[in-house]
Amino acid sequence: MTHFINRKEDIVAEAVDGVIATSGGRLARLDGYPHIRVVVRTDWDKSKVALVSGGGSGHEPAHAGFVGEGMLTAAVCGDVFASPSVDAVLAGILAVTGPAGCLLIVKNYTGDRLNFGLAAERARAFGLNVNMVIVDDDVALPDLPQARGVAGTLFVHKIAGALAENGADLDAVATAAERVIAGTSSIGMSLDTCTVPGAPKEDRIPSGKAELGLGIHGEAGIDQVEYSDAKSAIAMMVEKLGAKMDPDQRYVALLNNLGGASVLEMSILAHELKHSSIGQQISHIVGPAALMTSLEMRGFSISVYPAPTEDLMALQAKTHLSAWPGVNALVDVPVLELPDGLKPIKPLASDHAETRSFLIRCCEILIAAEADLNALDAKSGDGDTGSTLAGAARALIAAMDKLPLADHTQLYRAIGQELSQTMGGSSGVLLAIFFAAAGDAVSSGETMQKALHVGLKRMQDIGGAQPGDRTMIDALKPALDKLEGGLPDAAVAARAGADKTATMLRARAGRASYINAEQLRGHVDPGAEAVARLFERLAS
C-alpha cells in the first residue's frame, strides 16, 4: 500500500512537527530529535499536576493531539506501534513536572509499562513526585492475565486532565484515574488489518468476515466472525460490553473510529448503538470520531464508562483541543413537520391487477440489474446507478398499495412524486419530472405515447441532455419513438441507442461529462443501459 510519506525513518518526526506547526503556538517539542520526541504545552508553568502519556505512534490524534489545556501536559511519541525509550519518557517527565508532581497514564502493553515504569523510577531518584496508572480497558479477551489498554484511555486523559487543570493534588488525580480505569470497558472490530508503512500488509481477515476484539496495533482478536451489516456488528460488540455493565447504571459511550471507516459509516454505527440492547443505558456519547486509531484500519471500537456526576462534568469541561469532540447527550431523534406546501398530497389509492403486475415487473428488472449497472457506472462515474435505480424500485414496490393504480392520469403524477422523495441524484429528479409531465399531458387528453414524449421533452428541457450526449436519453428517445409498433420494436431501438453510447467519447451532459474521454471508451452509459435492459426484459 502506498502512503503519503517521505522516508519511513522520518514519519514520526515529521508528523510531530506537523502537529506542532498547526497548533497555533500552543505546542512545542523538546530537543533531542530523532530519538526523543516529546510534545509539550507552551503555557505550562509546573504549578499543577502534570499529566504525561504516550506510546507508539500510529494512533493519531492520540497522543500528541490531546496535549493542551484540560488534558495532557506532554505526550511521548515512539516509532509506529513501538514504545518510546526510557530516556524519551524521562525527558518528558523532567520537562513538565514541578512541586505538584506528575501522573503517567500508560496503556497496558509490556513495552510501555517497562519504559514508562523505569523512567518513573529514575524521575523519583531526581526527587520528583511521580505516580503511574495502567489502563487495561479491553474486554475482548477475558482470559488474558493482562488486558490491553485501548480507546478507553481517552476517558482517563479527559477526567484526570480536568481535575489537574482545576488544581487537584496528585493523590486526587491518581485516585480518579484509577476509578475511571476500573469502570471502563472497551472492545473493537475491524473489516481489515492496517498497513504499517514500509512493511507488507497482513491479509489476515478474509472477505465477508470481521475480526472481533482485535487490538490497536492490529493484534488478533477473539474471533473472526461473519459480517453482514452494521446492526449485527454492533450487536456482537454490545453483547461483550453488556456482560461487564451494571443494568442499573447509566453510561457514557465513546465511539472511536480506528482510522479507515468513513464519517458516513460511523454515523450509521452511532444509530445502531443507540438502538442496541445497551442503548437505553447510554446517557451521553463521545464521538463518533477518530480518537485512538490504528493507522488506516477499517474498524471501530466502543468504550463505556458509568460516569458519576463529577466525572461527567469533567468530561464536559471545555478544552480548545479540536481532537476532543466533546460529550453530547444521546437523544431520541426529534422529527419536525414538513413546512407548508411540501407535505405530499396523497392520491386516492385504487387497485388494478394488470397495472400492478406491470409495475412490479419493471421494478424487479431494475432490482435484478443493480450489480451490473453499478459495475458499469464505476467505469464512468461513482458506481451507484444500479443502487439508485434499485432503491427507487424497492420503494415503489413498497408504496404499491398507496398508488392510484386504476387511474392512470393520477398514477403518472403519483409515481413522479414517489420518485422525487425516494430516488436521489439527478436521475431521481429527472424521472420525477418525466412522470409528472406525462401525467399532466394525459390529464389534458393526450394518448399514452404522446404523454410519454411530453414527459421526455420536459426532462430534456430542464436537464439539458440531447441525443448524442451520452445519457439515458440516447436509449429512451429511440424506444419511445418506436413504442407505437410494440415493445419488441422499442427494445431493439433502445438497445441500439444504448450500445451507441460506448462510441461517444465526449459526454456533454450528466455525470460522465466530468470524466476524461479515455475512461469512457468502450463503456455503455449506465443510464442508457438501464433503459435498454428494461425494454428488452419487458419485450421478452
Side-chain angles (χ1 to χ4, degrees):
M1 179 178 180
T2 304
H3 295 86
F4 288 110
I5 64 172
N6 297 311
R7 297 192 319 145
K8 68 176 184 177
E9 295 82 3
D10 300 330
I11 289 173
V12 178
E14 291 177 353
V16 165
D17 275 358
V19 169
I20 294 171
T22 56
S23 70
R26 296 185 178 96
L27 302 178
R29 63 171 168 84
L30 300 183
D31 200 359
Y33 264 26
H35 305 296
I36 292 176
R37 294 166 297 211
V38 179
V39 179
V40 298
R41 291 172 58 173
T42 55
D43 63 348
W44 191 245
D45 61 9
K46 298 187 180 182
S47 63
K48 300 174 182 178
V49 173
L51 265 60
V52 178
S53 190
S57 297
H59 305 302
E60 290 70 24
H63 300 83
F66 298 109
V67 175
E69 182 180 358
M71 291 193 76
L72 300 179
T73 316
V76 189
C77 306
D79 289 330
V80 174
F81 294 170
S83 175
S85 67
V86 174
D87 282 356
V89 178
L90 181 60
I93 297 171
L94 296 177
V96 299
T97 304
C102 173
L103 178 67
L104 303 182
I105 301 172
V106 183
K107 298 187 299 302
N108 194 22
Y109 293 94
T110 301
D112 288 352
R113 288 201 318 273
L114 292 175
N115 286 289
F116 277 81
L118 182 53
E121 292 297 328
R122 290 176 59 183
R124 293 183 189 114
F126 280 97
L128 298 178
N129 188 10
V130 180
N131 205 335
M132 185 169 82
V133 294
I134 306 295
V135 185
D136 56 355
D137 54 311
D138 191 357
V139 299
L141 303 167
D143 296 329
L144 281 184
Q146 298 282 349
R148 300 173 294 205
V150 287
T153 307
L154 275 303
F155 283 141
V156 186
H157 288 173
K158 187 64 177 68
I159 293 171
L163 291 176
E165 194 68 47
N166 288 329
D169 64 25
L170 180 58
D171 286 343
V173 174
T175 298
E178 293 283 13
R179 179 179 68 246
V180 176
I181 292 168
T184 299
S185 300
S186 300
I187 192 168
M189 174 182 279
S190 185
L191 298 174
D192 201 0
T193 55
C194 58
T195 308
V196 177
K201 180 178 174 59
E202 181 186 7
D203 292 321
R204 185 178 71 239
I205 306 174
S207 177
K209 295 276 190 176
E211 192 158 275
L212 179 64
L214 75 177
I216 56 173
H217 308 103
E219 310 98 314
I222 185 173
D223 196 15
Q224 288 189 357
V225 296
E226 294 292 333
Y227 175 77
S228 58
D229 53 27
K231 186 181 184 71
S232 61
I234 289 287
M236 284 185 276
M237 295 175 73
V238 302
E239 180 182 2
K240 299 290 184 184
L241 291 174
K244 299 289 184 178
M245 295 169 66
D246 182 341
D248 297 324
Q249 290 272 17
R250 298 276 278 169
Y251 287 77
V252 178
L254 186 149
L255 185 52
N256 173 53
N257 186 341
L258 283 168
S262 68
V263 174
L264 185 69
E265 289 170 291
M266 294 305 298
S267 296
I268 293 169
L269 292 168
H271 165 78
E272 292 300 341
L273 179 60
K274 170 72 171 67
H275 293 90
S276 71
S277 61
I278 65 170
Q280 292 301 311
Q281 288 185 256
I282 299 174
S283 63
H284 292 77
I285 190 164
V286 180
L291 297 161
M292 180 79 70
T293 64
S294 182
L295 295 172
E296 88 295 3
M297 185 180 288
R298 287 206 63 224
F300 69 102
S301 66
I302 305 170
S303 303
V304 291
Y305 173 58
T309 301
E310 63 270 25
D311 286 350
L312 181 58
M313 291 176 63
L315 287 170
Q316 293 173 325
K318 290 184 179 180
T319 175
H320 67 264
L321 295 171
S322 60
W324 178 254
V327 183
N328 291 305
L330 191 64
V331 301
D332 293 331
V333 177
V335 179
L336 305 179
E337 290 289 330
L338 282 172
D340 290 341
L342 288 181
K343 292 182 180 179
I345 301 172
K346 296 181 179 179
L348 184 63
S350 59
D351 201 11
H352 188 268
E354 291 80 3
T355 301
R356 176 186 290 268
S357 176
F358 178 78
L359 286 178
I360 290 176
R361 188 179 177 200
C362 290
C363 291
E364 289 174 342
I365 291 169
L366 294 175
I367 292 169
E370 179 176 2
D372 290 345
L373 294 176
N374 280 343
L376 190 59
D377 188 35
K379 302 178 185 303
S380 60
D382 59 358
D384 68 348
T385 292
S387 296
T388 300
L389 290 169
R394 293 186 183 99
L396 195 59
I397 290 175
M400 200 65 64
D401 290 339
K402 303 174 185 177
L403 296 177
L405 298 175
D407 184 346
H408 289 181
T409 300
Q410 295 302 318
L411 178 60
Y412 284 124
R413 291 170 172 164
I415 291 174
Q417 186 177 82
E418 182 69 27
L419 293 178
S420 72
Q421 295 171 349
T422 61
M423 188 175 180
S426 57
S427 299
V429 66
L430 289 172
L431 288 174
I433 291 167
F434 173 82
F435 282 105
D440 291 342
V442 170
S443 67
S444 299
E446 299 289 357
T447 63
M448 182 187 74
Q449 186 177 9
K450 177 63 176 175
L452 293 176
H453 274 286
V454 170
L456 175 63
K457 185 177 187 305
R458 186 74 56 82
M459 183 169 66
Q460 289 180 265
D461 290 343
I462 296 176
Q466 300 296 323
D469 286 349
R470 204 179 193 281
T471 69
M472 70 169 73
I473 302 295
D474 289 298
L476 183 57
K477 188 177 187 308
L480 295 183
D481 288 343
K482 294 291 185 179
L483 188 57
E484 191 172 6
L487 281 172
D489 289 350
V492 171
R495 172 51 60 196
D499 289 348
K500 191 175 180 180
T501 63
T503 66
M504 300 174 186
L505 297 187
R506 176 58 63 187
R508 290 185 288 274
R511 182 167 292 172
S513 62
Y514 312 134
I515 305 298
N516 184 288
E518 285 304 311
Q519 291 181 253
L520 303 177
R521 187 185 299 274
H523 301 304
V524 173
D525 176 76
E529 175 64 25
V531 173
R533 193 168 299 199
L534 178 62
F535 276 94
E536 285 175 335
R537 298 296 186 271
L538 290 174
S540 62

